[in-house]
Amino acid sequence: MMRISPSLVPMLVVALMVLALYWPLMYLANIPVAQRALDTGAALPCQTAFECATQLRSPVLPSPQQLWNGFGNLMFPLNSPNAIPINAAVTAFETVVGLLLAAAVGFFFAIGMVVSRAFERALLPWIVASQTVPIIAIAPMLVVLLGQYGVQGWLPKAIIAAYIAFFPITIGVAKGLKSPDPMALDLMKTYNASHWQTYLKLRFPASVPYLFTAFKVAMTAALIGAIVAEISTISFQGIGKMLAENSRASDVVAMWVIMLSSAVLGILLVALVNWLERLLTPWRRTGPVAAGPSRPAREGVRSA
C-alpha cells in the first residue's frame, strides 16, 4: 500500500478544498454570463443558463472539461513551438540565469553593507527605491537600451528577471551575514582570525539558512520578472509570449491553462531550490540534539 508523506498532507488538503469550491464558484461566475448570452439570442448548444455555464466559449472560470481540453491542445505535440513545454523551458532558463545574475549582484551588495555601515546607509535607500519602479514600464526601455549594444534574445529577459530578484537576495544575505552571535565574533578575534577567515568560517556558514530562504523568494520574483519581460517586449518564445498571443485572441481557456502552467513551473523551480538546500546542507536534516550525552558517551565515561 502506497504511503503518503506527512509533508504532503497539508498540500493535498488544500487541493481538495480548492476542488470542492471550484464547481460552485464556476457556476456562480458563469451563469450570469450564460444568461445574458441566451437573452441576446446567441447560438449556444444548450437551453438553460445552468447548462450553458460549462460550455461558454469565453467563460469567466473554465469548467474542468474545458481546462482538460485546453491542456491537451497546448501540451502536444511536445516539440511544437506553440506548445507549453518548449515555451516553459525557455522561461525557466531565463529565470535561472536571472537568479544567478541576481545572486552575484546581491552578494556584492550584501557584503558591502556588512563591511561598511556608510555603504549600507548610502545604498540601501536606492535598493529599496529600485523595487518601486513598475517592471512593465522599465522592461521595454531596458530592452531598447540593451539592443543598442547588441544585447538581444533571452539575455534582456534574464537581466530584467535579475533586476526583480536581486532585492530579496541582497536583504536575505545581509541579514544572514549579520546573524552570528557577538560572542562568536569575539571568539574569532580571540583566535586572531583575519577578516576573510571570519567570513569564510563564521559569517557565510551562518548565512546559509537565510540564503536559501532568500533564493526561494527570489526564484518566484525572477519568474514573474521573466514573464512580464516576455509580455512587455518582442518575444518569440516563452510563457509571456503565449499569454500575450492568447490575450489578443481573447482565448480565455488558453490563458487559464497557461497561467496554471506558469504556477506549476514556479512550484518546480522552488522545489529545485529546496533540493539544492537539502543537498548542500545535509546537517540541517538531522533532528534536534538530545539533552545530555549519548549512550556510547555515557558508557565511555563509566569505563574511564
Side-chain angles (χ1 to χ4, degrees), residues 191-246:
Y191 290 155
N192 199 26
S194 66
H195 195 67
W196 286 109
Q197 285 176 327
T198 302
Y199 270 85
L200 292 176
K201 297 183 180 298
L202 179 60
R203 289 191 183 271
F204 282 129
S207 69
V208 168
Y210 299 86
L211 172 63
F212 280 103
T213 301
F215 269 22
K216 294 170 190 176
V217 177
M219 181 68 85
T220 57
L223 176 60
I224 294 172
I227 292 175
V228 172
E230 291 169 349
I231 295 174
S232 306
T233 61
I234 298 176
S235 301
F236 300 100
Q237 286 183 310
I239 293 292
K241 185 267 297 187
M242 295 186 70
L243 279 173
E245 288 181 348
N246 287 279

Short mmCIF file of all heavy atoms in Angstrom, two decimals, residues 191-246:
data_model
loop_
_atom_site.label_atom_id
_atom_site.label_comp_id
_atom_site.label_asym_id
_atom_site.label_seq_id
_atom_site.Cartn_x
_atom_site.Cartn_y
_atom_site.Cartn_z
N TYR A 191 40.95 34.21 18.52
CA TYR A 191 41.79 33.29 17.75
C TYR A 191 42.66 34.02 16.74
O TYR A 191 43.37 33.37 15.96
CB TYR A 191 40.92 32.27 17.01
CG TYR A 191 40.24 31.27 17.91
CD1 TYR A 191 39.07 30.63 17.52
CD2 TYR A 191 40.79 30.93 19.15
CE1 TYR A 191 38.46 29.70 18.33
CE2 TYR A 191 40.18 30.00 19.97
CZ TYR A 191 39.01 29.39 19.56
OH TYR A 191 38.40 28.47 20.37
N ASN A 192 42.59 35.34 16.72
CA ASN A 192 43.36 36.17 15.79
C ASN A 192 43.03 35.84 14.33
O ASN A 192 43.90 35.82 13.45
CB ASN A 192 44.86 35.99 16.02
CG ASN A 192 45.67 37.14 15.43
OD1 ASN A 192 45.18 38.26 15.28
ND2 ASN A 192 46.92 36.85 15.07
N ALA A 193 41.73 35.58 14.09
CA ALA A 193 41.29 35.27 12.73
C ALA A 193 41.27 36.55 11.90
O ALA A 193 40.91 37.62 12.39
CB ALA A 193 39.90 34.64 12.76
N SER A 194 41.64 36.41 10.63
CA SER A 194 41.61 37.56 9.73
C SER A 194 40.16 37.88 9.37
O SER A 194 39.22 37.13 9.66
CB SER A 194 42.42 37.27 8.48
OG SER A 194 41.80 36.23 7.72
N HIS A 195 40.00 39.01 8.66
CA HIS A 195 38.67 39.43 8.25
C HIS A 195 38.01 38.38 7.36
O HIS A 195 36.84 38.02 7.56
CB HIS A 195 38.77 40.77 7.52
CG HIS A 195 37.47 41.49 7.38
ND1 HIS A 195 36.76 42.00 8.44
CD2 HIS A 195 36.72 41.76 6.26
CE1 HIS A 195 35.66 42.58 8.00
NE2 HIS A 195 35.62 42.44 6.69
N TRP A 196 38.75 37.87 6.38
CA TRP A 196 38.18 36.89 5.47
C TRP A 196 38.00 35.54 6.13
O TRP A 196 37.07 34.79 5.78
CB TRP A 196 39.07 36.76 4.22
CG TRP A 196 38.92 37.93 3.31
CD1 TRP A 196 39.84 38.91 3.08
CD2 TRP A 196 37.77 38.28 2.55
NE1 TRP A 196 39.35 39.85 2.22
CE2 TRP A 196 38.08 39.49 1.87
CE3 TRP A 196 36.52 37.70 2.38
CZ2 TRP A 196 37.16 40.11 1.02
CZ3 TRP A 196 35.61 38.32 1.54
CH2 TRP A 196 35.93 39.51 0.87
N GLN A 197 38.84 35.17 7.07
CA GLN A 197 38.63 33.92 7.81
C GLN A 197 37.34 33.98 8.62
O GLN A 197 36.62 32.98 8.73
CB GLN A 197 39.82 33.66 8.73
CG GLN A 197 41.06 33.17 8.00
CD GLN A 197 42.25 33.00 8.93
OE1 GLN A 197 42.40 33.74 9.89
NE2 GLN A 197 43.11 32.03 8.63
N THR A 198 37.04 35.14 9.18
CA THR A 198 35.78 35.30 9.92
C THR A 198 34.58 35.11 8.99
O THR A 198 33.59 34.48 9.37
CB THR A 198 35.72 36.69 10.58
OG1 THR A 198 36.85 36.84 11.44
CG2 THR A 198 34.44 36.87 11.37
N TYR A 199 34.70 35.64 7.78
CA TYR A 199 33.61 35.48 6.82
C TYR A 199 33.48 34.02 6.38
O TYR A 199 32.37 33.47 6.35
CB TYR A 199 33.84 36.37 5.60
CG TYR A 199 33.22 37.74 5.74
CD1 TYR A 199 33.91 38.76 6.40
CD2 TYR A 199 31.96 38.02 5.24
CE1 TYR A 199 33.36 40.02 6.55
CE2 TYR A 199 31.40 39.28 5.40
CZ TYR A 199 32.10 40.27 6.04
OH TYR A 199 31.54 41.51 6.19
N LEU A 200 34.59 33.40 6.04
CA LEU A 200 34.53 32.04 5.50
C LEU A 200 34.13 31.02 6.54
O LEU A 200 33.41 30.06 6.23
CB LEU A 200 35.89 31.67 4.90
CG LEU A 200 36.30 32.43 3.63
CD1 LEU A 200 37.71 32.04 3.21
CD2 LEU A 200 35.32 32.17 2.50
N LYS A 201 34.59 31.18 7.78
CA LYS A 201 34.37 30.16 8.80
C LYS A 201 33.19 30.45 9.72
O LYS A 201 32.73 29.56 10.44
CB LYS A 201 35.64 29.98 9.64
CG LYS A 201 36.83 29.47 8.84
CD LYS A 201 38.03 29.24 9.71
CE LYS A 201 39.22 28.73 8.90
NZ LYS A 201 38.94 27.43 8.25
N LEU A 202 32.69 31.69 9.71
CA LEU A 202 31.60 32.03 10.63
C LEU A 202 30.42 32.69 9.91
O LEU A 202 29.30 32.17 9.97
CB LEU A 202 32.11 32.94 11.74
CG LEU A 202 31.06 33.40 12.78
CD1 LEU A 202 30.45 32.20 13.48
CD2 LEU A 202 31.68 34.37 13.76
N ARG A 203 30.66 33.80 9.25
CA ARG A 203 29.55 34.56 8.70
C ARG A 203 28.85 33.84 7.54
O ARG A 203 27.61 33.77 7.52
CB ARG A 203 30.03 35.95 8.24
CG ARG A 203 30.39 36.90 9.38
CD ARG A 203 30.60 38.31 8.86
NE ARG A 203 31.03 39.24 9.89
CZ ARG A 203 30.19 39.95 10.66
NH1 ARG A 203 28.88 39.78 10.51
NH2 ARG A 203 30.66 40.80 11.57
N PHE A 204 29.62 33.30 6.60
CA PHE A 204 28.99 32.61 5.47
C PHE A 204 28.23 31.35 5.91
O PHE A 204 27.09 31.15 5.47
CB PHE A 204 30.04 32.27 4.41
CG PHE A 204 30.43 33.44 3.55
CD1 PHE A 204 31.76 33.76 3.36
CD2 PHE A 204 29.47 34.23 2.95
CE1 PHE A 204 32.12 34.86 2.58
CE2 PHE A 204 29.82 35.32 2.16
CZ PHE A 204 31.15 35.63 1.98
N PRO A 205 28.81 30.48 6.75
CA PRO A 205 28.00 29.34 7.22
C PRO A 205 26.74 29.76 7.96
O PRO A 205 25.69 29.11 7.84
CB PRO A 205 28.98 28.58 8.13
CG PRO A 205 30.33 28.95 7.64
CD PRO A 205 30.22 30.37 7.19
N ALA A 206 26.83 30.84 8.74
CA ALA A 206 25.65 31.30 9.48
C ALA A 206 24.58 31.85 8.56
O ALA A 206 23.39 31.87 8.92
CB ALA A 206 26.06 32.35 10.50
N SER A 207 24.97 32.32 7.37
CA SER A 207 24.01 32.93 6.46
C SER A 207 23.31 31.92 5.56
O SER A 207 22.40 32.30 4.81
CB SER A 207 24.73 33.96 5.58
OG SER A 207 25.61 33.31 4.67
N VAL A 208 23.69 30.63 5.63
CA VAL A 208 23.13 29.64 4.71
C VAL A 208 21.61 29.53 4.83
O VAL A 208 20.90 29.54 3.81
CB VAL A 208 23.80 28.27 4.93
CG1 VAL A 208 23.03 27.16 4.22
CG2 VAL A 208 25.23 28.31 4.44
N PRO A 209 21.02 29.43 6.05
CA PRO A 209 19.55 29.36 6.11
C PRO A 209 18.88 30.59 5.50
O PRO A 209 17.87 30.47 4.80
CB PRO A 209 19.27 29.26 7.61
CG PRO A 209 20.54 28.74 8.21
CD PRO A 209 21.63 29.32 7.38
N TYR A 210 19.42 31.77 5.75
CA TYR A 210 18.87 32.98 5.18
C TYR A 210 19.03 32.99 3.67
O TYR A 210 18.17 33.48 2.93
CB TYR A 210 19.55 34.21 5.78
CG TYR A 210 19.38 34.36 7.26
CD1 TYR A 210 20.25 33.73 8.15
CD2 TYR A 210 18.36 35.14 7.79
CE1 TYR A 210 20.10 33.87 9.52
CE2 TYR A 210 18.20 35.29 9.16
CZ TYR A 210 19.08 34.65 10.02
OH TYR A 210 18.93 34.78 11.37
N LEU A 211 20.15 32.45 3.19
CA LEU A 211 20.45 32.46 1.77
C LEU A 211 19.41 31.66 1.00
O LEU A 211 18.87 32.15 -0.01
CB LEU A 211 21.85 31.89 1.53
CG LEU A 211 22.25 31.65 0.08
CD1 LEU A 211 22.28 32.96 -0.68
CD2 LEU A 211 23.60 30.94 0.00
N PHE A 212 19.11 30.44 1.43
CA PHE A 212 18.17 29.61 0.69
C PHE A 212 16.75 30.13 0.81
O PHE A 212 15.96 30.00 -0.13
CB PHE A 212 18.27 28.16 1.15
CG PHE A 212 19.45 27.43 0.54
CD1 PHE A 212 20.59 27.20 1.29
CD2 PHE A 212 19.42 27.01 -0.77
CE1 PHE A 212 21.68 26.54 0.73
CE2 PHE A 212 20.50 26.35 -1.33
CZ PHE A 212 21.64 26.12 -0.57
N THR A 213 16.41 30.71 1.95
CA THR A 213 15.10 31.35 2.06
C THR A 213 14.99 32.50 1.07
O THR A 213 13.96 32.67 0.40
CB THR A 213 14.87 31.86 3.50
OG1 THR A 213 14.95 30.76 4.40
CG2 THR A 213 13.52 32.52 3.62
N ALA A 214 16.05 33.30 0.98
CA ALA A 214 16.06 34.41 0.01
C ALA A 214 16.00 33.88 -1.42
O ALA A 214 15.33 34.48 -2.28
CB ALA A 214 17.30 35.26 0.21
N PHE A 215 16.67 32.77 -1.70
CA PHE A 215 16.65 32.20 -3.04
C PHE A 215 15.24 31.75 -3.43
O PHE A 215 14.84 31.87 -4.60
CB PHE A 215 17.62 31.02 -3.13
CG PHE A 215 19.00 31.42 -3.58
CD1 PHE A 215 19.44 32.72 -3.44
CD2 PHE A 215 19.86 30.49 -4.14
CE1 PHE A 215 20.71 33.10 -3.84
CE2 PHE A 215 21.13 30.86 -4.55
CZ PHE A 215 21.54 32.16 -4.41
N LYS A 216 14.49 31.19 -2.48
CA LYS A 216 13.12 30.75 -2.79
C LYS A 216 12.24 31.94 -3.15
O LYS A 216 11.44 31.87 -4.10
CB LYS A 216 12.54 29.99 -1.59
CG LYS A 216 13.24 28.67 -1.32
CD LYS A 216 12.79 28.07 0.01
CE LYS A 216 13.67 26.89 0.40
NZ LYS A 216 13.31 26.33 1.73
N VAL A 217 12.37 33.02 -2.38
CA VAL A 217 11.60 34.23 -2.70
C VAL A 217 12.06 34.82 -4.02
O VAL A 217 11.25 35.23 -4.87
CB VAL A 217 11.73 35.26 -1.56
CG1 VAL A 217 10.99 36.55 -1.90
CG2 VAL A 217 11.21 34.68 -0.25
N ALA A 218 13.39 34.86 -4.22
CA ALA A 218 13.93 35.46 -5.44
C ALA A 218 13.59 34.63 -6.67
O ALA A 218 13.43 35.20 -7.76
CB ALA A 218 15.45 35.61 -5.31
N MET A 219 13.48 33.32 -6.53
CA MET A 219 13.14 32.49 -7.68
C MET A 219 11.76 32.83 -8.22
O MET A 219 11.56 32.97 -9.44
CB MET A 219 13.21 31.01 -7.30
CG MET A 219 12.90 30.06 -8.44
SD MET A 219 14.15 30.07 -9.75
CE MET A 219 15.33 28.90 -9.07
N THR A 220 10.79 32.97 -7.33
CA THR A 220 9.45 33.34 -7.78
C THR A 220 9.44 34.75 -8.36
O THR A 220 8.77 35.01 -9.36
CB THR A 220 8.45 33.24 -6.62
OG1 THR A 220 8.89 34.08 -5.53
CG2 THR A 220 8.37 31.82 -6.10
N ALA A 221 10.20 35.66 -7.75
CA ALA A 221 10.28 37.02 -8.28
C ALA A 221 10.92 37.03 -9.66
O ALA A 221 10.48 37.75 -10.57
CB ALA A 221 11.06 37.91 -7.32
N ALA A 222 11.97 36.23 -9.84
CA ALA A 222 12.63 36.16 -11.15
C ALA A 222 11.71 35.58 -12.21
O ALA A 222 11.71 36.03 -13.36
CB ALA A 222 13.91 35.33 -11.04
N LEU A 223 10.89 34.60 -11.83
CA LEU A 223 9.93 34.01 -12.78
C LEU A 223 8.91 35.06 -13.23
O LEU A 223 8.61 35.19 -14.42
CB LEU A 223 9.24 32.81 -12.16
CG LEU A 223 8.15 32.15 -13.01
CD1 LEU A 223 8.72 31.65 -14.32
CD2 LEU A 223 7.49 31.01 -12.24
N ILE A 224 8.40 35.82 -12.27
CA ILE A 224 7.45 36.88 -12.62
C ILE A 224 8.12 37.92 -13.51
O ILE A 224 7.54 38.39 -14.50
CB ILE A 224 6.90 37.54 -11.34
CG1 ILE A 224 6.06 36.53 -10.56
CG2 ILE A 224 6.06 38.77 -11.67
CD1 ILE A 224 5.64 37.01 -9.19
N GLY A 225 9.36 38.29 -13.18
CA GLY A 225 10.08 39.25 -13.99
C GLY A 225 10.29 38.77 -15.41
O GLY A 225 10.15 39.53 -16.38
N ALA A 226 10.64 37.48 -15.56
CA ALA A 226 10.87 36.93 -16.90
C ALA A 226 9.57 36.92 -17.72
O ALA A 226 9.57 37.27 -18.91
CB ALA A 226 11.43 35.52 -16.79
N ILE A 227 8.46 36.54 -17.09
CA ILE A 227 7.18 36.50 -17.81
C ILE A 227 6.74 37.91 -18.21
O ILE A 227 6.29 38.14 -19.34
CB ILE A 227 6.11 35.80 -16.95
CG1 ILE A 227 6.46 34.32 -16.79
CG2 ILE A 227 4.73 35.94 -17.59
CD1 ILE A 227 5.52 33.56 -15.86
N VAL A 228 6.86 38.86 -17.27
CA VAL A 228 6.48 40.25 -17.59
C VAL A 228 7.38 40.80 -18.69
O VAL A 228 6.91 41.53 -19.58
CB VAL A 228 6.54 41.12 -16.32
CG1 VAL A 228 6.36 42.59 -16.66
CG2 VAL A 228 5.49 40.68 -15.32
N ALA A 229 8.66 40.47 -18.65
CA ALA A 229 9.57 40.94 -19.70
C ALA A 229 9.19 40.36 -21.06
O ALA A 229 9.26 41.06 -22.08
CB ALA A 229 11.01 40.56 -19.34
N GLU A 230 8.77 39.11 -21.09
CA GLU A 230 8.34 38.50 -22.36
C GLU A 230 7.07 39.15 -22.88
O GLU A 230 6.89 39.30 -24.09
CB GLU A 230 8.13 37.00 -22.16
CG GLU A 230 9.41 36.22 -21.91
CD GLU A 230 9.16 34.80 -21.46
OE1 GLU A 230 7.98 34.47 -21.14
OE2 GLU A 230 10.12 34.01 -21.41
N ILE A 231 6.17 39.54 -21.97
CA ILE A 231 4.93 40.21 -22.39
C ILE A 231 5.21 41.62 -22.88
O ILE A 231 4.63 42.07 -23.87
CB ILE A 231 3.92 40.23 -21.22
CG1 ILE A 231 3.49 38.80 -20.86
CG2 ILE A 231 2.71 41.08 -21.57
CD1 ILE A 231 2.61 38.74 -19.63
N SER A 232 6.12 42.31 -22.20
CA SER A 232 6.34 43.74 -22.47
C SER A 232 7.27 43.99 -23.64
O SER A 232 7.40 45.13 -24.08
CB SER A 232 6.92 44.41 -21.22
OG SER A 232 6.11 44.17 -20.09
N THR A 233 7.94 42.97 -24.14
CA THR A 233 8.91 43.15 -25.22
C THR A 233 8.57 42.20 -26.37
O THR A 233 7.67 41.37 -26.27
CB THR A 233 10.34 42.88 -24.72
OG1 THR A 233 10.43 41.51 -24.27
CG2 THR A 233 10.69 43.80 -23.57
N ILE A 234 9.31 42.34 -27.44
CA ILE A 234 9.12 41.45 -28.58
C ILE A 234 9.75 40.10 -28.24
O ILE A 234 10.97 40.00 -28.06
CB ILE A 234 9.76 42.03 -29.85
CG1 ILE A 234 9.08 43.37 -30.21
CG2 ILE A 234 9.65 41.06 -31.01
CD1 ILE A 234 9.72 44.07 -31.39
N SER A 235 8.91 39.07 -28.14
CA SER A 235 9.38 37.74 -27.76
C SER A 235 8.84 36.73 -28.76
O SER A 235 7.69 36.84 -29.21
CB SER A 235 8.93 37.38 -26.34
OG SER A 235 9.41 38.32 -25.41
N PHE A 236 9.66 35.74 -29.08
CA PHE A 236 9.26 34.69 -30.00
C PHE A 236 9.03 33.37 -29.28
O PHE A 236 8.49 32.44 -29.87
CB PHE A 236 10.33 34.51 -31.08
CG PHE A 236 10.56 35.75 -31.90
CD1 PHE A 236 11.64 36.57 -31.63
CD2 PHE A 236 9.67 36.10 -32.90
CE1 PHE A 236 11.85 37.73 -32.38
CE2 PHE A 236 9.88 37.26 -33.65
CZ PHE A 236 10.96 38.07 -33.39
N GLN A 237 9.43 33.28 -28.02
CA GLN A 237 9.21 32.09 -27.22
C GLN A 237 9.02 32.51 -25.77
O GLN A 237 9.45 33.60 -25.36
CB GLN A 237 10.39 31.11 -27.33
CG GLN A 237 10.46 30.36 -28.65
CD GLN A 237 11.61 29.37 -28.67
OE1 GLN A 237 12.74 29.69 -28.35
NE2 GLN A 237 11.31 28.14 -29.06
N GLY A 238 8.40 31.62 -25.00
CA GLY A 238 8.24 31.88 -23.58
C GLY A 238 6.78 31.90 -23.14
O GLY A 238 5.86 32.07 -23.96
N ILE A 239 6.56 31.71 -21.85
CA ILE A 239 5.22 31.74 -21.30
C ILE A 239 4.57 33.11 -21.52
O ILE A 239 3.38 33.20 -21.84
CB ILE A 239 5.27 31.41 -19.79
CG1 ILE A 239 5.72 29.96 -19.58
CG2 ILE A 239 3.91 31.64 -19.14
CD1 ILE A 239 4.74 28.92 -20.03
N GLY A 240 5.34 34.17 -21.33
CA GLY A 240 4.81 35.51 -21.54
C GLY A 240 4.34 35.72 -22.96
O GLY A 240 3.31 36.37 -23.20
N LYS A 241 5.08 35.21 -23.94
CA LYS A 241 4.68 35.32 -25.34
C LYS A 241 3.35 34.61 -25.57
O LYS A 241 2.45 35.14 -26.26
CB LYS A 241 5.77 34.73 -26.23
CG LYS A 241 5.53 34.88 -27.73
CD LYS A 241 4.81 33.69 -28.37
CE LYS A 241 5.61 32.41 -28.26
NZ LYS A 241 4.97 31.29 -29.04
N MET A 242 3.16 33.44 -24.97
CA MET A 242 1.91 32.71 -25.12
C MET A 242 0.75 33.47 -24.48
O MET A 242 -0.36 33.52 -25.03
CB MET A 242 2.04 31.32 -24.50
CG MET A 242 3.04 30.41 -25.18
SD MET A 242 3.03 28.74 -24.49
CE MET A 242 1.44 28.14 -25.07
N LEU A 243 1.00 34.06 -23.30
CA LEU A 243 -0.06 34.84 -22.66
C LEU A 243 -0.47 36.03 -23.52
O LEU A 243 -1.66 36.32 -23.67
CB LEU A 243 0.43 35.32 -21.29
CG LEU A 243 0.36 34.33 -20.14
CD1 LEU A 243 1.03 34.91 -18.90
CD2 LEU A 243 -1.09 33.96 -19.82
N ALA A 244 0.52 36.73 -24.08
CA ALA A 244 0.21 37.90 -24.91
C ALA A 244 -0.57 37.50 -26.15
O ALA A 244 -1.56 38.16 -26.53
CB ALA A 244 1.50 38.61 -25.29
N GLU A 245 -0.18 36.42 -26.82
CA GLU A 245 -0.86 35.99 -28.03
C GLU A 245 -2.29 35.58 -27.76
O GLU A 245 -3.22 35.96 -28.48
CB GLU A 245 -0.09 34.84 -28.69
CG GLU A 245 1.22 35.26 -29.34
CD GLU A 245 1.93 34.09 -29.98
OE1 GLU A 245 1.52 32.93 -29.72
OE2 GLU A 245 2.90 34.31 -30.73
N ASN A 246 -2.51 34.79 -26.72
CA ASN A 246 -3.86 34.31 -26.43
C ASN A 246 -4.73 35.41 -25.84
O ASN A 246 -5.95 35.35 -25.95
CB ASN A 246 -3.79 33.12 -25.47
CG ASN A 246 -3.29 31.86 -26.16
OD1 ASN A 246 -4.04 31.16 -26.84
ND2 ASN A 246 -2.01 31.57 -26.01
#
